[in-house]
Amino acid sequence: GGQIAEVLLWPFGGICFTTRAGGRAPKEKLVDDLLIVSAGPATHFPMAALWCALLAMFAAACGEIAMAPAWHHLVPFSRVNSPCTDFSGYNSHCFQTWSGYLTYGFIVHAIQLNVILFMFNVFFPMYPMDGAKLIVCTLQLFCSTSARCAARVLVY
């Protein structure tokens, strides 16, 4: 453990300045950093799974309404047809109220938001995003590069 000295919040994330516990080898510190940095993006997996489970329960509660399986919404930037709406009540395979249709849309967007945030957070290596920190920690830990060399990789 260490002490938190300062937390700096930016529009696209934040930085936590901490002190390190004494007596740890540099390689152990890098492993700790890698675990901490990877924990942030990893939180999107259980959140997306919970939203998928909620969508599956919502679909089961809606009964006859034809919906795509919840896991289809995990594919980013894909077009999944949304269920139809029929407010006259003639078609039982469609949403007949705005509340049902809006609830469905909210849950679907929550699933897709978690997938896209994971991708943005990991695959765009801009500092202080986690993707940049993952690259720096990985280069230092597995390739034995210096911090300066790892920073140059990010710039170029």
Side-chain angles (χ1 to χ4, degrees), residues 64-65 84-96:
E64 297 180 356
I65 297 176
C84 59
T85 56
D86 179 22
F87 300 122
S88 63
Y90 293 120
N91 190 349
S92 64
H93 297 289
C94 298
F95 282 111
Q96 297 176 0

Side-chain angles (χ1 to χ4, degrees), residues 41-50 114 118:
T43 60
H44 294 291
F45 290 114
M47 285 192 284
L50 286 173
N114 274 291
F118 171 80

Side-chain angles (χ1 to χ4, degrees), residues 124-147:
F124 290 102
M126 302 174 293
Y127 196 81
M129 302 292 288
D130 290 328
K133 294 177 185 176
L134 285 170
I135 289 173
V136 169
C137 286
T138 303
L139 286 173
Q140 288 181 322
L141 188 62
F142 298 111
C143 299
S144 300
T145 61
S146 66

Side-chain angles (χ1 to χ4, degrees), residues 43-128:
T43 60
H44 294 291
F45 290 114
M47 285 192 284
L50 286 173
W51 285 111
C52 282
L54 186 63
L55 183 61
M57 288 187 292
F58 181 72
C62 289
E64 297 180 356
I65 297 176
M67 292 185 221
W71 62 269
H72 281 204
H73 301 288
L74 291 172
V75 180
F77 309 114
S78 66
R79 177 83 172 119
V80 178
N81 292 333
S82 62
C84 59
T85 56
D86 179 22
F87 300 122
S88 63
Y90 293 120
N91 190 349
S92 64
H93 297 289
C94 298
F95 282 111
Q96 297 176 0
T97 63
W98 277 108
S99 62
Y101 187 73
L102 291 175
T103 303
Y104 169 81
F106 178 79
I107 296 172
V108 165
H109 281 90
I111 294 169
Q112 293 174 343
L113 180 68
N114 274 291
V115 172
I116 291 171
L117 280 174
F118 171 80
M119 290 176 52
F120 182 77
N121 209 1
V122 172
F123 297 118
F124 290 102
M126 302 174 293
Y127 196 81

